[in-house]
Every structure is written in structure tokens, then in C-alpha cells.
Amino acid sequence: MSKQKKTKEKSNSLRNYLFMLGFICKHTPFYLFGYLVFDVLANIPWILTNVVLLKYIIDVVTSGVDLYRAAVACVAFAVFIIIGNLLNTVFYEIYLPKEREKLYFKMYSVIYEKAAKMDYEAYDNPAYYNDLVLAMTSMSERAQQVMSNTKDILTNIVSVLTIGTVIVTIDPMCLVFVFLCVAFMVPVGRLIAKVNVQRTEAMTPYDRKNLYFSRVFYLQDYAKELRLSRAGTMIERRYQKNIHDRLATISPYLAKQWKLYFCQESMPLTLLIYLGITLFMGYKAIVTKEISMGDFAATFNGATAISNSVFAITSWFAISFRENGLYVEKFKRFMNAKEKIIGGDNKTVHKKPVTIRFENVSFTYPGTDKAVLKNINLEIKPYQKIALVGYNGAGKTTLTNLLLRLYDVTEGRITVDGVDIREWDIPTYHRNFAAVFQDFSLFGATVGENVAMNDHPDAEKVKKALASGNFQKDLPEDTNTILLREFDESGLSLSGGEAQKVAIARAFYKDCPFAVLDEPSANLDPVAEYTLNQAMTKAAENKTVIFISHRLSTTVMADCIYMLENGEIVETGTHEQLMQQNGKYAYMFNLQADKYKEQN
């Protein structure tokens, strides 16, 4: 690595540390102040005890002066230590836990808000998604480590300055030994940090594999396959191989590190501090009588403490300094990510359906070259029920994602009542639409909150919406029944079909003119599907409805059907018209009908 690159990396790490400390100070200033100041102040009496107090006691005892003075000094130091410990304990045991919770709350509030604001497109970007996962899973820990490192560095710097001042007053020559020790330890410490970083980078692929193995065995997604097959044995063997590979990879780095640690810690401390200062100051104390035995003990302890502080700063702290800096860099990158989909000033909320038009719309996903939609032109009239059909990958869901402005068109435009949807304020625009997605989610909340998608549901309105979705399950607490067990052990678990009906009810609860239903009956049997279709048709009389379905029995009720293939509309018409054309739609419909007959 070039010198210029190293300098830039150190500068970035420092800026990242200052960024995180600034973030903590902004949101929980007392936490940062107390964490740094209380601990440093509490350590000063301990630092001085090993040097100043020890020197004083030895000098008093060896001089034959009244031991009362030594006792008074011990009591005075004990009082200082007790007061320091009292302040430290009160902060660490009472205030720190509360302040830490406040920090975590602020940090995750900022992360959640940022994640909710970012474009849906951002989830297609692996770099953004990795930064998001890292922010969600480890930034609270990293913030704590940044503060802990900063505190330890300050404590050691205070220790070096305090003890160094005392040593200078005794014999400045002692600092020569210390400087020689430091001069040897610093470059070796840099080598240790470099090897540790290399080791971390080399182990990252194996760490990532270990996380995958953990997910396989603790996530419910894999539970059925693991129990009904020998996949578990297969994964365990791969886990064992990964461990063997980890050991083979890490061994050379460990061999380098123990040698460097030995050179850094043992040789300079042994030769320059334990042996050098002992002989030098011992000679002056015993032979020439230039210093007292107290001075001898104080300089020996002080020099050892300074060397240990430098060792800590140049090895352990240097390693964590760079590592934490890299994590904070990813957090900054996540927080600084910019939205691409920008809203306009239009804040119209339509009370009734209006005309929607796709005008020469084409779309290509970011990072790809192949167009998913090509020159789409269609008009959806008020109150129409239209169906988008086609094979997987035809572009059906992409079309609705563009309408909902989860993505922006690559070419062309989409208008609502003649206004380009890019001119709308985005939250206001979304108020015009209700959507049920194929990969819908239920939340750990009440049935009513899941339907209303807020924490103030109208109970009667919720019941009406559930009825429109043909939800018939008895609920122990009516619409206040809790779903899932994340927040309540007695939470209700629904079948796939029941959960889908709750999701569908959302479209009928929301007062808006347009509803988008992506595979609304995917988890339902044919009888339940027919009943749901009838209920939805009746409940959606006052809405424009756009639905996607692979089951073409659902499309029979549509006013207009659009058959998509390779991103283009290839057929348009009612069910009867398309069947008469005997084209691709008719072929797909007849194929499904024949399969259904075979199954029955």
C-alpha cells in the first residue's frame, strides 16, 4: 500500500470517528461527556497511586519520619479513589444504561426513517442493501466501541502525560529509556495492526459463510426441508469444511502475530524498562545515593505504565480504530445515500376514479441493459376492472410498480387525469392508491391495525373491509385480536389463505379511487377464489381495479384484459373477445382449464 493511500486511510478513519462522536454528542451529549470524562477522572487517582503515593510512602518509611504522614497520605488517596468510584458507579449503573438506551433509540430511529424514505429501487443495489443490514445489525455496538476506544485512548494519554511529568521531576534521563522503548514499539505495533487487518480481510468470506450456516439452522424458512431431507447433513459437512479452511487461512497470520507481539511487548519492556531502568535508577539509588528508594520505585512503575499505555495505543487501539472506522464509513454511506425518485408539488387527492394512461412507457432495471417493458400504451378508464396476464417475467408486476411510482419510467410517461405522476408529491400520490402485493406481509399488531395499516383503526370499517375480502375466521378478541407472536405469546397465527384475505381487506379499507391487486388469490383454493372474486367485484364497484393473476379464471370478470409477453402488450380485449381470437390468451386459458379438469 502506498504512503499516500495509507495517509488517506488514516485520515478517513479519523473523520469517521469524529463523525460518530458528533452523532452521539448531538443526540445524547451527557452520555458522551460522562463516558469520556468520568472514567478518565476516576483513573487519575489509580495512576498517581502507583507512582506518587508509592514514592511518598517509601520515602517516609526509609527516612524514619513519623509514619502518621504516610497514613494520612493513604487515607487522602483512598478518599479520592472512593469519591471517584462513587461518581463512576452512579454514572455507570444509573445514568449510563438510560443514556445508552436513548442513544440506541435515536440511532435506530434515524436508520428506520432513512430506510423508509429510500427508493424501493435501492433494494436492488447490493452495496446499499449490505450497508442497510450492517446499520441495522451492528451500528449500536460500533458506536459503543468508538466511545470505548476514545475513552481508552484518552485515559492512556492522560496516564502518559501525568506519569511523564512526575518522572521528569525525578530524573529526565528515565524518559530516554521510555522514548527508546516507544520508538521500538510503535513501528512493530503498526505491523501488528497491518497483519490483523489482513487477517480480518482474509477471514471475511469464511465469516460470511458462517452467517449463512447460522441462518439455515435458526430460520423457520429452512425448517421443513431440514427435517424432511438430508440437507442438514450436507450443510453440516460444508460447515466443517469451512472451519478447516478458516484454520488453514488463519494459521500463517497467527504465526506472524505472536512473533510481532513478542518483539513488541517482551523485548523493549524487558531490556529497556525492567532491566535498563532498574539498573540505571538502582545504581543512582543504592550506589551514588542521588535519588531515594521512593524515586526508584516511582520511576520504574511509571516507565512500565507509560510503555504499557503506548503498547495499547499502537497495537490494540490501532487495530480497532481502523476496523471501527470502516464500519462507520459504511454507516455514513448509508445515511448519505440519495433518493432518485423525487416528488413534485402536486398534492391532489382524487375522491373518485379518473383516467390513467401509459404513454410509450419503457423501463429497464438499474444496472441492466435489457428492457423489461417496451413502448407500453394503454388507457384505464374510471371504474374499469382490468387484468394484466402473461407468463413469469412478462413485466406485469413491473407495470404496476411504475404506476405506484416505486420506480420511474425509463422512457415515456404515466398520467393520472392528464397529469404526469412525477409532478405529484409522493406521499400524497400514494394516498390515491391501495395495493396488495404478491409477497405481502402481516405485522405483529392487531387484526384491525393490520387492515388499517395504522394504530387507530375504525373497528366497523375494518369488519366491512374483512367481509369484502371474504375473511370468515372467528377472532377471539374481534378486530383487537393480536396477530403473530413477536409481541404477544398468545398472538394468532393465520393460514396462508386467511393471511391473504387480511391483506386484501387493506385495499377496501383505504378510501381511495384506485386498487392494485397482485395475485390476490394465489393462496386460495378454486372455491374460495370464486367466492372472493364475487365479493371483491361487489366491494370494488366505486374503484378502478388493476389486478395481476396467473389463474385466468380470475380474469373472466375483468372489463379489459392485457396479455403481456416479453415486456410488450400482445393482446387486448374482454375474456370473450380474446377467447374468440384463439390466440395466446386463449391457449393459456384452455391449458389451465384442461389441467384443472385432469386434477379433478
Side-chain angles (χ1 to χ4, degrees):
M1 185 183 293
S2 67
K3 185 176 181 181
Q4 185 178 6
K5 189 172 181 181
K6 288 180 180 179
T7 303
K8 183 179 179 182
E9 200 171 84
K10 291 176 183 177
S11 177
N12 287 339
S13 294
L14 179 59
R15 281 199 296 268
N16 293 334
Y17 256 66
L18 293 176
F19 169 84
M20 181 53 69
L21 291 174
F23 182 93
I24 296 169
C25 185
K26 176 181 177 182
H27 296 291
T28 50
F30 182 67
Y31 183 32
L32 179 64
F33 174 81
Y35 195 83
L36 298 181
V37 174
F38 278 101
D39 199 83
V40 172
L41 291 178
N43 274 282
I44 289 177
W46 289 105
I47 294 170
L48 295 177
T49 297
N50 290 327
V51 179
V52 178
L53 180 61
L54 180 64
K55 165 182 163 47
Y56 184 78
I57 291 174
I58 292 175
D59 286 345
V60 168
V61 172
T62 55
S63 65
V65 181
D66 189 356
L67 295 181
Y68 175 76
R69 292 168 58 185
V72 170
C74 288
V75 171
F77 266 88
V79 170
F80 279 120
I81 291 173
I82 290 172
I83 293 174
N85 283 344
L86 176 63
L87 294 175
N88 234 20
T89 303
V90 169
F91 175 75
Y92 272 87
E93 301 303 326
I94 297 178
Y95 291 102
L96 186 139
K98 295 179 182 178
E99 292 297 310
R100 184 166 51 223
E101 290 300 321
K102 289 180 184 178
L103 173 63
Y104 292 171
F105 167 73
K106 293 290 186 182
M107 177 167 285
Y108 284 108
S109 293
V110 169
I111 293 172
Y112 295 157
E113 182 180 354
K114 180 65 177 180
K117 285 173 58 180
M118 279 302 294
D119 304 332
Y120 183 72
E121 171 190 319
Y123 289 88
D124 297 329
N125 182 347
Y128 167 81
Y129 191 71
N130 288 339
D131 290 344
L132 170 60
V133 171
L134 182 142
M136 291 285 192
T137 57
S138 64
M139 281 320 299
S140 58
E141 175 189 351
R142 292 294 165 179
Q144 185 68 32
Q145 287 185 16
V146 165
M147 288 208 302
S148 180
N149 288 160
T150 306
K151 176 201 71 175
D152 291 340
I153 289 172
L154 286 177
T155 300
N156 280 278
I157 289 174
V158 169
S159 173
V160 169
L161 293 176
T162 305
I163 296 173
T165 301
V166 175
I167 290 178
V168 167
T169 61
I170 297 173
D171 192 327
M173 280 298 297
C174 288
L175 290 182
V176 174
F177 290 93
V178 175
F179 287 146
L180 289 173
C181 183
V182 169
F184 186 86
M185 293 174 75
V186 168
V188 178
R190 289 176 179 172
L191 287 175
I192 292 173
K194 180 180 178 180
V195 173
N196 193 75
V197 169
Q198 291 173 345
R199 186 184 83 177
T200 300
E201 291 174 348
M203 298 302 290
T204 297
Y206 305 105
D207 293 336
R208 187 166 57 247
K209 290 179 182 178
N210 275 353
L211 290 174
Y212 169 74
F213 296 135
S214 298
R215 291 198 304 272
V216 167
F217 286 101
Y218 80 73
L219 288 179
Q220 188 176 5
D221 306 36
Y222 301 94
K224 292 179 182 178
E225 283 80 2
L226 288 176
R227 284 154 181 77
L228 297 175
S229 69
R230 295 181 59 80
T233 304
M234 174 185 71
I235 297 299
E236 285 178 15
R237 286 183 185 138
R238 294 189 178 180
Y239 171 69
Q240 292 171 1
K241 182 180 183 304
N242 192 54
I243 294 300
H244 289 308
D245 292 342
R246 284 175 63 89
L247 293 173
T249 302
I250 201 173
S251 295
Y253 296 103
L254 295 178
K256 290 180 183 178
Q257 283 185 294
W258 83 259
K259 295 172 186 176
L260 290 170
Y261 277 124
F262 176 78
C263 290
Q264 188 194 40
E265 186 173 5
S266 300
M267 294 179 65
L269 284 176
T270 301
L271 295 178
L272 295 169
I273 304 301
Y274 299 145
L275 184 60
I277 286 186
T278 299
L279 292 176
F280 175 70
M281 297 301 288
Y283 175 81
K284 296 187 75 171
I286 298 171
V287 179
T288 65
K289 307 292 184 179
E290 294 179 49
I291 62 171
S292 68
M293 291 303 296
D295 292 334
F296 168 74
T299 51
F300 178 80
N301 278 1
T304 303
I306 289 176
S307 300
N308 287 332
S309 294
V310 172
F311 170 73
I313 293 172
T314 58
S315 55
W316 297 112
F317 298 154
I319 294 167
S320 57
F321 183 79
R322 183 181 186 278
E323 182 180 341
N324 290 326
L326 291 174
Y327 275 92
V328 175
E329 178 68 32
K330 293 179 182 291
F331 175 68
K332 283 172 58 180
R333 189 168 64 195
F334 163 74
M335 293 302 300
N336 292 331
K338 302 296 183 183
E339 300 98 291
K340 295 180 181 178
I341 298 180
I342 307 299
D345 298 324
N346 192 328
K347 294 193 175 183
T348 303
V349 178
H350 291 287
K351 300 298 182 183
K352 296 179 181 180
V354 292
T355 301
I356 296 173
R357 287 190 180 89
F358 286 72
E359 301 174 5
N360 300 314
V361 169
S362 296
F363 178 73
T364 302
Y365 280 103
T368 64
D369 298 324
K370 184 180 178 181
V372 180
L373 294 174
K374 308 166 191 173
N375 199 36
I376 298 294
N377 288 278
L378 65 87
E379 179 178 277
I380 306 171
K381 296 178 181 178
Y383 303 102
Q384 264 194 325
K385 312 295 183 282
I386 75 159
L388 304 176
V389 301
Y391 295 103
N392 288 336
K396 306 181 297 296
T397 298
T398 300
L399 196 70
T400 57
N401 284 342
L402 292 175
L403 175 61
L404 295 170
R405 236 198 141 196
L406 297 177
Y407 297 91
D408 270 342
V409 300
T410 306
E411 296 178 14
R413 67 173 192 158
I414 303 171
T415 65
V416 175
D417 198 27
V419 180
D420 191 317
I421 65 174
R422 288 172 290 196
E423 297 180 17
W424 249 280
D425 168 70
I426 294 175
T428 304
Y429 179 72
H430 287 159
R431 287 173 59 188
N432 290 282
F433 290 86
V436 179
F437 301 104
Q438 184 176 357
D439 52 350
F440 68 89
S441 297
L442 296 185
F443 299 94
T446 68
V447 172
E449 289 168 337
N450 266 283
V451 172
M453 298 294 277
N454 63 58
D455 51 6
H456 294 93
D458 182 321
E460 292 305 315
K461 196 174 174 182
V462 168
K463 292 177 183 178
K464 185 177 179 181
L466 288 170
S468 298
N470 199 37
F471 183 85
Q472 297 176 343
K473 185 177 182 65
D474 291 332
L475 300 173
E477 302 294 331
D478 203 25
T479 60
N480 291 319
T481 300
I482 295 287
L483 296 182
L484 308 181
R485 296 178 181 174
E486 276 74 5
F487 303 109
D488 192 326
E489 292 182 0
S490 61
L492 184 66
S493 296
L494 300 178
S495 68
E498 291 166 343
Q500 191 158 29
K501 290 176 182 179
V502 170
I504 290 170
R506 294 168 179 168
F508 300 108
Y509 181 92
K510 190 174 181 179
D511 293 323
C512 61
F514 307 107
V516 176
L517 307 176
D518 190 347
E519 292 289 345
S521 56
N523 292 315
L524 305 180
D525 59 70
V527 175
E529 178 187 35
Y530 175 79
T531 306
L532 174 63
N533 288 342
Q534 297 300 312
M536 285 197 304
T537 301
K538 182 179 179 180
E541 289 178 351
N542 63 336
K543 295 179 185 287
T544 294
V545 180
I546 304 164
F547 62 89
I548 300 170
S549 181
H550 285 95
R551 288 185 181 178
L552 299 188
S553 56
T554 304
T555 65
V556 175
M557 67 177 183
D559 298 320
C560 187
I561 301 167
Y562 293 89
M563 174 83 182
L564 279 80
E565 187 175 75
N566 296 322
E568 299 179 285
I569 297 175
V570 293
E571 293 180 3
T572 306
T574 65
H575 172 72
E576 291 77 12
Q577 291 170 341
L578 294 178
M579 292 302 292
Q580 289 175 4
Q581 289 180 20
N582 198 29
K584 295 181 178 181
Y585 173 84
Y587 173 78
M588 183 185 290
F589 185 88
N590 289 327
L591 187 64
Q592 288 191 10
D594 290 341
K595 286 185 177 180
Y596 181 72
K597 289 175 182 177
E598 289 174 6
Q599 293 172 0
N600 291 274

